[in-house]
Amino acid sequence: MASGSRLSQAICDAVDGYVVPANYNSPAQIVVSGEMAAVDAVMAVCKEQKIRAMKLPVSAPFHCAMMAPAAEEVRAALEGIEIGQPRVPVYLNVNAEPLESGKEVAGWLVEQTKSPVLWRQTLENMARDGMSTFVECGPGATLSGFVKKTLSDAQVLIFG
Amino acid sequence: MPMDGKRAEELLLIAKRGGVGEIVVEGPDKRLVVRRAGSSQPALEACKSSVCRGAQSFEDRSDKETATSLKTIESPMVGRFYASPSADDDPFIRVGEKAEKGAVLGVVEAMKMLNEIEAEYPCLIREVCVADGGVVEYGTPIFRVQPLSS
């Protein structure tokens, strides 16, 4: 586990209330999610330890167990939708591994709603599996920036 | 992948075929940008007037000589600009302050991914074009800076 991941988990464990790492963006950037008071407590610890922390004005505690009711709505919405077998390897942020069967997609999407986004781990596993060039489409270079911060030897192409 | 002239031509053909305005290739130690002539960013023009409310302006607009040497630091993505870590904190940088190369000047956030805007060279901040919390498009000017010799 990268040091940022360990640190964020340790801080979340140390404060009162429910708060957990929710987005592993890069080795040095982790978003936490949970009860407002607990998130504020994490902010205070970060300030004490001189760790840069920002509070994001979001509408819900995304990608944590507090989203379980929303995950059930996702499950209901996906019922009856058939998803075919992927023709190319598709890596999931929810487990950082390639999808094995199209039949699993709905279940993983439900899980994703209430589980952390393992973006850093996904990139690391793609590199583990031999991928070295990453392509970002659309304006901006946000994801490419995180690729470079996670995989220093990767080549990045941006189509904007 | 070698980044030579032939590669640039190939990328330009891909850009033309796909209707893409710009292709950037970045390796560990090289960067190649292929941009089609005439490619535009209409979204940028549309947002300019709305994002500048509440922003900090030039200290001295009469200094035309300096103004012409100013460079713009643009948003690398669509998102929300943050001038400080939180409402209780000081801004990362203020107008009139000097920034060392690599200093964090602000943050643009989208989908809970925070992109730090760093100074690519030592510079003096002359204008913050976007208000804290303002929405920015790809290419929106965020800072006007005067480059300084290191």
Side-chain angles (χ1 to χ4, degrees):
Chain A
M1 195 189 284
S3 58
S5 306
R6 272 199 300 268
L7 185 60
S8 63
Q9 186 65 61
I11 294 174
C12 287
D13 290 345
V15 302
D16 289 335
Y18 178 78
V19 59
V20 291
N23 297 66
Y24 294 89
N25 290 344
S26 75
Q29 188 182 110
I30 290 133
V31 178
V32 303
S33 198
E35 294 166 354
M36 285 283 270
V39 171
D40 286 339
V42 168
M43 291 280 293
V45 173
C46 288
K47 205 165 189 176
E48 258 174 39
Q49 298 192 12
K50 302 202 182 310
I51 299 167
R52 188 178 300 142
M54 295 183 65
K55 193 169 176 182
L56 300 175
V58 292
S59 54
F62 297 110
H63 296 296
C64 74
M66 291 173 77
M67 294 298 287
E72 288 313 306
E73 287 187 34
V74 172
R75 188 191 305 280
L78 290 171
E79 247 171 50
I81 296 176
E82 267 188 47
I83 298 173
Q85 190 66 13
R87 292 177 194 166
V88 294
V90 176
Y91 282 73
L92 307 175
N93 280 326
V94 65
N95 65 353
E97 296 292 345
L99 185 67
E100 289 183 0
S101 160
K103 288 179 184 165
E104 298 174 358
V105 171
W108 280 122
L109 283 172
V110 172
E111 196 59 33
Q112 176 74 96
T113 310
K114 54 184 177 177
S115 304
V117 177
L118 307 179
W119 173 249
R120 172 184 63 75
Q121 296 90 329
T122 302
L123 294 176
E124 287 171 350
N125 287 353
M126 290 174 83
R128 173 201 68 193
D129 295 344
M131 279 156 242
S132 57
T133 299
F134 292 78
V135 179
E136 179 169 3
C137 298
T142 315
L143 300 178
S144 306
F146 288 108
V147 171
K148 284 186 281 180
K149 281 176 180 162
T150 305
L151 306 171
S152 56
D153 291 334
Q155 177 162 272
V156 176
L157 283 92
I158 304 155
F159 288 73
Chain B
M1 187 189 298
M3 295 191 195
D4 52 17
K6 191 166 183 329
R7 186 70 196 150
E9 282 179 27
E10 287 171 7
L11 289 171
L12 198 53
L13 275 175
I14 294 170
K16 267 187 187 168
R17 262 188 244 130
V20 174
E22 184 179 282
I23 298 177
V24 182
V25 182
E26 289 191 42
D29 53 1
K30 283 184 182 172
R31 186 167 199 266
L32 174 69
V33 180
V34 177
R35 191 173 291 134
R36 284 171 66 204
S39 66
S40 59
Q41 299 166 351
L44 166 63
E45 294 305 319
C47 75
K48 266 182 184 167
S49 58
S50 63
V51 296
C52 286
R53 284 195 299 269
Q56 296 177 55
S57 61
F58 277 114
E59 289 174 305
D60 179 9
R61 284 182 179 279
S62 65
D63 190 350
K64 283 183 186 168
E65 197 172 304
T66 304
T68 54
S69 67
L70 297 183
K71 288 194 171 181
T72 303
I73 297 174
E74 298 173 343
S75 175
M77 57 191 266
V78 176
R80 195 170 288 278
F81 170 72
Y82 293 100
S84 63
S86 76
D88 303 331
D89 288 303
D90 290 336
F92 293 104
I93 195 109
R94 292 186 173 90
V95 168
E97 289 182 342
K98 288 178 184 172
E100 297 299 324
K101 181 182 175 183
V104 174
L105 308 177
V107 168
V108 176
E109 177 268 332
M111 297 294 289
K112 297 181 287 305
M113 292 193 123
L114 290 88
N115 205 308
E116 291 178 339
I117 310 299
E118 293 179 358
E120 290 182 9
Y121 40 80
C123 58
L124 175 68
I125 307 299
R126 297 301 304 271
E127 184 179 9
V128 183
C129 312
V130 182
D132 188 28
V135 174
V136 290
E137 297 278 342
Y138 171 68
T140 298
I142 298 182
F143 296 98
R144 296 267 287 159
V145 303
Q146 185 181 334
L148 302 171
S149 51
S150 47

